[in-house]
Amino acid sequence: MRLVLLIVFLFVTIALIGVVLIQRSEGGGLGIGSSQGMGAFMGGRGTANLLTRTTAVLATIFFALSLTLALLGHSSGGGGLLAPPPPAATAPAKPAPAPAGPVVPTK
């Protein structure tokens, strides 16, 4: 399930970036620098635009998927960057016992 959500998240992210880049600048962002002032920011022609609505829908889906993936990652108990290291496996093995008497090399 997490893999499917990640793939959908990737497509939504790419679509959101594309829709934002396609949008036309209205000159100055938030109406600053125009003679109309801030009163024209939310009025008229730009609010019902298809790209504006698409951006809002994609942003909502992006936000919901982000929260869902974060909750799934937290509940699965998967380690993260700040997770403590796993415990050591076992103590090292004991060395082999030494021979009882002197060892004589044979040819």
Side-chain angles (χ1 to χ4, degrees):
M1 170 152 172
R2 214 173 1 170
L3 181 63
V4 173
L5 287 176
L6 278 173
I7 292 171
V8 171
F9 184 72
L10 178 68
F11 286 139
V12 168
T13 304
I14 292 171
L16 184 61
I17 291 170
V19 169
V20 168
L21 290 176
I22 288 174
Q23 289 182 8
R24 203 177 117 194
S25 173
E26 296 289 329
L30 297 182
I32 298 172
S34 67
S35 62
Q36 298 172 353
M38 289 300 286
F41 169 59
M42 289 301 287
R45 63 181 192 192
T47 56
N49 194 355
L50 176 65
L51 290 176
T52 304
R53 288 182 187 227
T54 305
T55 302
V57 169
L58 286 174
T60 303
I61 295 171
F62 177 84
F63 185 71
L65 282 174
S66 297
L67 286 176
T68 304
L69 286 170
L71 290 174
L72 283 176
H74 178 70
S75 66
S76 69
L81 292 177
L82 301 177
T90 57
K94 294 181 181 179
V103 178
V104 179
T106 58
K107 288 189 180 182

